[in-house]
Amino acid sequence: MGVTLVAGILLLLADLAHTFQETDGVIRRNDYGKGSRTEELDVKLPGEKERIPVEIEVSEQRYSQDEVQELFDRAIRRMEERILGENESLDRIEYDMNLLTELPDEPVEISWELDRYDVMNVRGELQADYLEEEGTLVGLSAVLTYSEDERWQTLYQCTVCVYPGNPGEVDDSTAQVQEELQKQEEQDRTQKVLRLPDKLLGQKAVYYQKMDSRGIVLIIMAVLIGILLYALEIQNRGKEQEKRRQQMILDYPEVVNKMTLFIGAGMTVKRAWRKIVEDYRHQKELWGERYVYEEMKRTCYEMESGLAEAECYENFGRRCGIQVYIRFGALLSQNLRRGTKGLTELLKMESVQAFEERKARAKKLGEEAGTKLLFPMFLMLAVVLVIVIVPAFLSVQI
């Protein structure tokens, strides 16, 4: 049940992390020097059943750049990795190439020229009708322009060998929407904000910007952790209460036996009670804290505060919350009202019964311990069988 709940919450968090909301068609650019960023949008067009997912690269406002040549070298290295697309090398192109026109976070514009437009277009899409089995060489030339100063340019050239394969299918509407949005972005780079066009592909467009739901996710995770910690605290309390109960049941025969001995020696019930508490105080460092004696000590404080002795014994039984102690407290209280005659015999009978119950409980715990040891014993048996059987099989010569 707990695993199912956690899995459901994680699915909810994953869904929240990909939520979109309708925007006013305005994207604010980063300030100078803070780099460009990619905006993820869903575009809704009339007549389309589903939104069209697109990504648009929003550059920063223009800024000056001193080391232009270093910028070009870095851009070429990044471009060589990206233009391959799903292909492994330029020597064997079987899938559409990614002839990108710009690089994220770099103020560089790229324009491509090919010597075989019948084999590949400027977007890197292969033309399957003109591919040959023995491969076709296509020369690619890219002019990299520094977007903040178009006087700075560099030329990149390479030759690829194109083979028939499984070119990736491209959604025409998605590609056209992406291209129109990118053109709009390039035209408005001098503006503080990018205003998206009201129409795309001749139709009214509605934009949905990806929401940053990290705050909501963190809040939900914090609430979930709080719930789990609270459940852990409840579990720990239950374990502590069970530990207290088992310890008090274990100490019950000893308490009754001491009361029987002291009362039989001529002490009053109150005096015998205090004697047991005093012995506990002296030996507490050796015994450690025992719950039943702590409750007896609290009962002594109640007597000293003026509370009726009979009522103190009854309160002791209720605080312990165990049937044997409730019966023990009621026994002491009733005999105070009717006199202590016959109390010693009743306590002796209670002591004998308590020891019998303790022996029965010890026997039961021993049986449970034996049952728990069965699994380790089976594991040991399996190990022994492996040690004996495996060498025997290995020694057999086929």
Side-chain angles (χ1 to χ4, degrees), residues 156-348:
Y156 170 79
Q157 292 180 323
C158 66
T159 301
V160 301
C161 191
V162 182
Y163 292 87
N166 298 315
E169 297 181 359
V170 180
D171 190 337
D172 293 339
S173 60
T174 301
Q176 293 176 13
V177 169
Q178 181 91 34
E179 186 175 356
E180 288 192 23
L181 289 176
Q182 202 62 54
K183 287 181 180 179
Q184 183 68 30
E185 191 275 333
E186 293 174 0
Q187 294 175 2
D188 292 348
R189 288 187 175 179
T190 57
Q191 304 297 323
K192 181 66 177 177
V193 298
L194 169 64
R195 185 167 295 279
L196 302 175
D198 296 333
K199 292 185 177 181
L200 287 173
L201 306 181
Q203 299 176 339
K204 184 179 179 180
V206 180
Y207 302 92
Y208 299 86
Q209 190 170 8
K210 188 174 183 179
M211 296 176 58
D212 186 1
S213 304
R214 288 176 294 179
I216 299 176
V217 172
L218 290 176
I219 292 174
I220 295 177
M221 291 181 65
V223 172
L224 178 61
I225 291 173
I227 294 173
L228 294 177
L229 290 176
Y230 180 70
L232 179 62
E233 179 66 21
I234 294 177
Q235 184 180 20
N236 291 336
R237 289 179 185 176
K239 290 182 179 179
E240 184 65 24
Q241 291 177 358
E242 181 61 22
K243 176 184 175 183
R244 174 179 181 273
R245 180 178 176 276
Q246 293 296 334
Q247 187 190 97
M248 295 183 76
I249 291 176
L250 187 64
D251 289 340
Y252 179 68
E254 183 178 351
V255 172
V256 176
N257 188 48
K258 287 181 179 180
M259 286 293 295
T260 304
L261 290 175
F262 291 147
I263 294 176
M267 290 186 180
T268 62
V269 175
K270 186 175 183 180
R271 177 58 186 160
W273 192 280
R274 288 181 176 176
K275 177 62 177 175
I276 295 174
V277 173
E278 289 175 2
D279 291 343
Y280 168 69
R281 288 175 179 173
H282 295 152
Q283 299 181 6
K284 184 176 180 179
E285 294 183 0
L286 178 63
W287 291 356
E289 183 175 337
R290 310 297 293 183
Y291 295 105
V292 63
Y293 292 106
E294 291 293 331
E295 293 295 340
M296 293 180 71
K297 184 167 64 174
R298 181 177 175 182
T299 302
C300 284
Y301 295 152
E302 291 181 348
M303 294 179 187
E304 293 173 358
S305 65
L307 196 63
E309 184 178 349
E311 186 177 351
C312 292
Y313 296 142
E314 293 176 357
N315 292 340
F316 165 76
R318 285 193 292 268
R319 286 198 305 271
C320 292
I322 303 174
Q323 186 61 36
V324 291
Y325 284 101
I326 295 175
R327 186 172 65 244
F328 179 62
L331 179 65
L332 297 178
S333 175
Q334 291 173 5
N335 280 274
L336 281 176
R337 295 188 179 97
R338 295 182 300 183
T340 58
K341 184 178 179 180
L343 178 60
T344 304
E345 288 73 13
L346 292 175
L347 289 176
K348 286 181 180 179

